[in-house]
Amino acid sequence: MKRMKSILPAVAMAVVMAAAMLLAGCGSDSGAMTIGQYTPDEAQKDMYDLAVMGTNESAVLKYDAGTAVKNLTVGYEVYEKGKLKDDIDAFGLSAEENKAMNGFIGLWFGVSESRISTSGTSTSAVTFDTPWKKHIEDPAYSSGTVTSTGIDIKKGEKVYIYGHFEKKGEGDMTITDLDTVMNEDGALDQYDEAYIFYAIFK
């Protein structure tokens, strides 16, 4: 798999780290193996808004992987007309010894630059060029997104957490949930491009 180049500008890094550390305090030691969309409460909303300032899209997912896993990898797949074209391994995170792996994954997408941050037993962040360009550069393209609302973690398997879809022409882009899009034959064929983010817990 291809690896993204880490750029880490000081200001963006500081904001992401601050948000990640704030959210990290909300993790649990339940040992549950789940991941899903997280909405900040009032106490965290100001920091969250600061972290996503200047972005077009964002999502925060909370994960509870317990002590059964020690490593987390975040990446994304690129599809063109339903065919897999690329699989990009963004970066990884390791749990501290004897600690449960609980925390958050933040996805922040701007017009040109995007960020992924994780928090929990460790905190990391990476910035990279936004992979999709069509709907930004060409008004003939429309886009849509979907965030996983909740799914069980299966050790060593990809868990799809976020999708960005683009196609030429107007009209609604019917995106129900990632499970349907990723597991139903031909569901991705209607999109000119699809960028599906995933997490792997090992």
Side-chain angles (χ1 to χ4, degrees), residues 54-135:
T55 65
N56 290 355
E57 301 173 23
S58 63
V60 175
L61 296 107
K62 183 174 187 273
Y63 62 87
D64 292 296
T67 57
V69 298
K70 293 299 176 188
N71 297 286
L72 164 62
T73 298
V74 179
Y76 64 91
E77 298 173 345
V78 182
Y79 292 85
E80 292 181 8
K81 293 290 188 181
K83 297 187 181 301
L84 180 64
K85 295 295 183 183
D86 217 343
D87 189 340
I88 297 159
D89 179 2
F91 74 123
L93 179 72
S94 296
E96 295 176 8
E97 188 175 357
N98 299 321
K99 294 280 185 73
M101 190 170 231
N102 304 318
F104 297 84
I105 299 172
L107 306 171
W108 330 100
F109 303 111
V111 172
S112 60
E113 189 175 88
S114 300
R115 290 169 280 157
I116 300 174
S117 66
T118 62
S119 68
T121 53
S122 301
T123 301
S124 300
V126 64
T127 63
F128 57 97
D129 290 338
T130 300
W132 48 80
K133 304 293 181 187
K134 279 189 168 57
H135 87 282

Side-chain angles (χ1 to χ4, degrees), residues 18-27 38 40-41 44 48 60 103-104 106 108 119:
M21 285 187 283
L22 177 68
L23 292 174
C26 304
Y38 175 80
D41 62 23
Q44 295 131 15
Y48 177 83
V60 175
F104 297 84
W108 330 100
S119 68

Side-chain angles (χ1 to χ4, degrees), residues 35 63 72-76 105 153-154 156-162 196-201:
I35 185 170
Y63 62 87
L72 164 62
T73 298
V74 179
Y76 64 91
I105 299 172
I153 293 169
K154 294 182 180 179
E157 296 183 15
K158 287 182 178 178
V159 179
Y160 293 105
I161 57 177
Y162 184 85
I196 313 295
F197 283 74
Y198 61 80
I200 303 174
F201 295 84

Side-chain angles (χ1 to χ4, degrees), residues 138-159:
D138 189 343
Y141 281 85
S142 57
S143 69
T145 64
V146 62
T147 304
S148 174
T149 55
I151 193 170
D152 291 337
I153 293 169
K154 294 182 180 179
K155 189 174 179 180
E157 296 183 15
K158 287 182 178 178
V159 179

